[in-house]
Amino acid sequence: MDATSSPARVLAVVGPAVDRERVVDALSPLSVSVAGSAEAVVRRAEAERVDCVVLATDHLADIEAVHGAIALPLVVVVPPDGDLSAAAARDAGAADVVPVVDSNLFERLPERVESAVAWRRRGAAAASKITEDLKEQAIDEAHVGITVADCSLPDRPLVYVNEAFETMTGYSADAALGRNCRYLQGPNTDPERVAELRRAIEAEESASVELLNYRANGETFWNRVDVAPLSGPDGEVTHYVGFQTDITERVRAEAAAERYAARVDEERARLQTLVEHIEGLLADVTSALVRAESRRELEAAVCDRVTAAGSFDCAWVGHCDLSPAVIVPNERGGTDAGFLDDLEIDRSDPDDPTARAAQTRTVQSAAVGEEGADAETVVPFDSAIAVPLVHRDTLYGVLTVYTDAAELDDEVRVVFGTLGRAVGAAIDAFESRRSLLSDERLELEIEVRDETQPLVRLAVAGECALDYEGAVSHDDGTLSLFVSTDPPTDGLADDEFESPGVAGVTRLPRGDGVGLYEVVFDAGSLTHLVADAGGRLRGLEADRDGCRFTAVVPDRGAGRALLDDLSAAAAGVELRAVRERSAPPRTGRGFAADVNAALTDRQQTALQLAHLGGFFEWPHAVTGDELAAAMDVSRATFHQHLRAAQRKLVAGFFEEGTR
């Protein structure tokens, strides 16, 4: 309807299969009344001078009944999940069919109703305005090439081409007319498809073919040619109309897709072979796990088995179980492995697959080309896959494997992940067995470069270095660390030094003039963490640059736990060295453990202060009064604690000697 016309008057009939309220609401821009049934349509349409009937139904019989009873446009609204098709509804008399869906197909229901009304009123007049000039203009403006060939002339020459044909082929109308359009063909045009087109024309039938054609400048393009016969008044075919569409981009895309699919199939076949090899490798490695008698033998066997069949060229294992800053090859196998001699991988390097595997504990792969993790290292392979050797929460190392395969898919990574877990479990078994059957202990040299740590701040405050003299754990969870200063200083005291985690700093008497201090830590200090890991300090020094200490732990598991805890509590934690030490005979550690267990907190403190202060020297370097004052107890109480400690110490000594 025109913009100035009043809204169409609509009579709506909504059956039970459609949401009545939704249909009426959608028609609200129009003048709408609602009929209760299809039978009431005829009477109400005449009485209310309705322009259009909207019938919401899922039944073909309703459409046929209403259409046969009225001479008004009928718009049918159908439910989206019904059995009534749009084609069947139109065949039954519907002017338009609108599905109830969440899109503009239904949202534009008012416009579609008005369109049906307008076409009924003015459709014939609109059609009569389509003149021959308008048709010719439409053909000329079409985006596909349109040609007309005259069948009454020899060789069926072209008698009409539109502008799109000229643009597409590069031939002007003057150059194109009067010739059969086979001039678009060239040496690479498929003769079979040309013959197919010729047979259809000779049989006066329609045809559609895709041809490689040539433009006027010699450039090739793919042309979809659709031809159809045109008949004269007597039924004889007089002309052929041709529609020519440039489909070059589509054909090229399809060809590229086919080439890609072929490459994918080839790569899939190669990877399937690779997966089958790796699955066989799992069985081989499992047997190696059973036969290996040491961790080193196991890791060497894994490298050899991975590279034995030829799918992978080189493999190596680097240890990570004590969090080293760099990962280096410990065991290796395969060919062209000389580059591993100088290989060092920064564990924090986000671009290196080995480092990423250690960080994420997941299998990582990457193209490595000619560059290794170190700019000085040349990797003579195309790709690498890095496999974390993990058991439970422990990362023991990374297996890095090299190959000239361009890409490693998810299946390969999954199988290698299984391999990594199997090897990790085997390493864990070796480490656990060694811990149970060996007296060896690990000695870790650790540096902590963190200026916020209390001992570093204490060294800065005293302008000195601190050296470890001993430690005592207290029942309340605090810990006393005894340190001497170099150079000697007596300038540190509780009221001059405060630091989070430090309960107090006390200067202790000592006969040789060396500055001796007791630093009492609250729970959570670095020294506490050593004790929590089952370790003990064997030395400690601190200055303004940081603190360095040696901790002896029972095994690698305890060492890993200690390093993790230290890294969480302080910045700049670095493992400087790892040494395996044989455990001392029980007359050392066992004796000390038994005595410590027998001493009370006060007895141990009195004994430690007397020893460090030189009380056992003769003449006494310090007096009992001085030591009692340091413990904040009376002289009598101090000597009572000291004598009890001495008695237990001597008793333990003689009891140990009789075993």
Side-chain angles (χ1 to χ4, degrees):
M1 299 183 70
D2 296 338
T4 57
S5 302
S6 59
R9 294 182 296 274
V10 178
L11 180 60
V13 185
V14 183
V18 183
D19 186 342
R20 176 181 188 142
E21 183 178 350
R22 185 175 182 184
V23 173
V24 173
D25 183 64
L27 291 169
S28 60
L30 307 177
S31 176
V32 183
S33 59
V34 180
S37 65
E39 291 76 11
V41 168
V42 177
R43 176 177 50 80
R44 292 196 50 182
E46 293 176 353
E48 299 177 17
R49 301 179 63 186
V50 172
D51 297 317
C52 180
V53 173
V54 173
L55 177 60
T57 184
D58 193 28
H59 300 291
L60 190 63
D62 292 341
I63 302 173
E64 293 172 341
V66 173
H67 176 66
I70 63 173
L72 295 171
L74 175 61
V75 175
V76 176
V77 176
V78 296
D81 54 352
D83 296 329
L84 182 60
S85 68
R90 283 192 294 271
D91 290 343
D96 198 358
V97 182
V98 182
V100 182
V101 292
D102 293 326
S103 73
N104 66 350
L105 291 176
F106 180 72
E107 292 169 357
R108 298 185 68 84
L109 177 59
E111 290 89 336
R112 298 176 73 164
V113 169
E114 290 191 333
S115 175
V117 172
W119 181 253
R120 174 63 64 91
R121 292 176 176 175
R122 303 194 297 277
S128 67
K129 295 179 182 179
I130 306 301
T131 64
E132 293 302 318
D133 289 342
L134 185 59
K135 292 178 183 178
E136 184 174 350
Q137 181 181 353
I139 292 174
D140 285 339
E141 294 296 328
H143 293 295
V144 297
I146 300 177
T147 61
V148 177
D150 193 331
C151 296
S152 67
L153 297 177
D155 204 26
R156 302 184 185 92
L158 297 180
V159 294
Y160 170 81
V161 296
N162 70 344
E163 293 181 5
F165 178 87
E166 296 180 69
T167 301
M168 181 172 61
T169 65
Y171 288 96
S172 66
D174 290 340
L177 297 180
R179 305 164 63 190
N180 187 290
C181 64
R182 71 172 64 89
Y183 60 80
L184 295 177
Q185 300 171 22
N188 292 323
T189 302
D190 188 347
E192 289 297 326
R193 295 185 180 183
V194 173
E196 179 184 346
L197 184 62
R198 183 173 60 250
R199 286 192 296 268
I201 293 174
E202 290 175 350
E204 298 184 345
E205 296 174 349
S206 298
S208 180
V209 296
E210 294 180 358
L211 299 173
L212 181 68
N213 281 167
Y214 291 76
R215 307 187 203 276
N217 62 3
E219 178 185 347
T220 60
F221 72 102
W222 280 95
N223 186 8
R224 191 186 70 205
V225 181
D226 299 285
V227 298
L230 301 177
S231 301
D234 57 358
E236 293 291 327
V237 174
T238 60
H239 296 81
Y240 252 89
V241 62
F243 302 93
Q244 320 223 9
T245 307
D246 187 343
I247 59 170
T248 304
E249 292 301 322
R250 194 207 76 195
V251 172
R252 288 176 178 172
E254 290 174 350
E258 291 176 359
R259 290 193 299 270
Y260 176 76
R263 289 198 303 271
V264 169
D265 289 341
E266 181 182 345
E267 184 67 9
R268 183 180 291 113
R270 187 195 64 79
L271 289 175
Q272 183 59 38
T273 302
L274 190 60
V275 169
E276 292 172 358
H277 163 64
I278 297 174
E279 290 174 343
L281 175 64
L282 277 175
D284 290 344
V285 170
T286 301
S287 64
L289 301 183
V290 174
R291 292 194 300 270
E293 296 183 357
S294 68
R295 176 175 178 178
R296 180 175 182 178
E297 182 181 337
L298 165 67
E299 292 171 351
V302 169
C303 293
D304 289 340
R305 296 299 176 88
V306 168
T307 57
S311 296
F312 298 98
D313 304 290
C314 180
W316 60 275
V317 172
H319 291 176
C320 300
D321 45 337
L322 285 171
S323 304
V326 295
I327 305 173
V328 299
N330 292 93
E331 301 298 332
R332 65 186 68 183
T335 60
D336 297 330
F339 73 99
L340 297 177
D341 293 339
D342 301 320
L343 185 66
E344 288 189 355
I345 294 175
D346 183 349
R347 184 164 176 163
S348 62
D349 184 355
D351 298 322
D352 188 275
T354 302
R356 290 202 308 271
Q359 293 164 3
T360 64
R361 301 193 179 190
T362 60
V363 177
Q364 300 288 319
S365 60
V368 292
E370 293 296 316
E371 294 186 5
D374 188 326
E376 301 295 327
T377 303
V378 175
V379 179
F381 305 105
D382 293 333
S383 301
I385 184 166
V387 185
L389 308 180
V390 179
H391 183 65
R392 296 193 178 95
D393 295 328
T394 301
L395 172 68
Y396 285 103
V398 176
L399 167 67
T400 301
V401 182
Y402 298 101
T403 176
D404 283 330
E407 184 178 352
L408 298 167
D409 72 354
D410 290 339
E411 286 185 272
V412 176
R413 283 187 282 272
V414 169
V415 175
F416 262 116
T418 303
L419 175 64
R421 290 188 293 274
V423 176
I427 293 175
D428 182 80
F430 279 123
E431 293 298 324
S432 298
R433 185 169 62 192
R434 187 173 68 171
S435 297
L436 291 174
L437 302 179
S438 173
D439 288 332
E440 291 184 347
R441 297 293 182 263
L442 283 186
E443 185 177 273
L444 310 180
E445 286 189 11
I446 301 170
E447 181 171 10
V448 180
R449 291 185 173 273
D450 186 345
E451 61 184 14
T452 66
Q453 289 301 308
L455 290 179
V456 178
R457 297 183 61 188
L458 188 64
V460 171
E463 298 181 354
C464 60
L466 308 178
D467 289 317
Y468 175 74
E469 298 288 349
V472 174
S473 296
H474 303 297
D475 294 338
D476 61 359
T478 61
L479 184 147
S480 291
L481 186 69
F482 300 99
V483 294
S484 58
T485 63
D486 183 21
T489 179
D490 57 2
L492 297 176
D494 286 340
D495 57 352
E496 297 179 4
F497 179 79
E498 293 183 0
S499 179
V502 175
V505 179
T506 305
R507 193 185 193 300
L508 302 177
R510 182 157 173 167
D512 56 7
V514 174
L516 181 65
Y517 288 87
E518 177 188 16
V519 184
V520 181
F521 290 100
D522 293 329
S525 70
L526 301 189
T527 311
H528 278 91
L529 296 180
V530 174
D532 292 343
R536 58 188 178 86
L537 288 175
R538 290 194 58 174
L540 181 148
E541 59 182 26
D543 53 30
R544 64 177 58 253
D545 295 325
C547 57
R548 294 154 297 283
F549 60 91
T550 300
V552 178
V553 294
D555 51 39
R556 290 180 175 270
R560 287 189 295 271
L562 173 59
L563 289 170
D564 290 342
D565 291 343
L566 290 173
S567 297
V573 176
E574 182 179 347
L575 178 64
R576 302 296 299 274
V578 180
R579 289 181 291 273
E580 293 184 352
R581 301 292 191 192
S582 297
R586 190 174 182 275
T587 53
R589 176 173 293 179
F591 172 75
D594 289 345
V595 171
N596 280 331
L599 296 178
T600 67
D601 182 15
R602 288 294 194 177
Q603 291 167 0
Q604 188 178 22
T605 301
L607 187 62
Q608 186 88 37
L609 292 180
H611 169 66
L612 295 176
F615 182 76
F616 296 119
E617 303 294 333
W618 185 261
H620 295 311
V622 295
T623 67
D625 291 332
E626 292 175 308
L627 295 174
M631 289 185 62
D632 196 21
V633 297
S634 67
R635 180 176 182 277
T637 300
F638 167 75
H639 282 287
Q640 179 182 355
H641 290 315
L642 181 60
R643 284 193 297 272
Q646 290 173 315
R647 185 170 57 254
K648 292 178 180 179
L649 178 62
V650 173
F653 175 83
F654 284 107
E655 290 173 3
E656 182 68 23
T658 61
R659 294 177 186 176

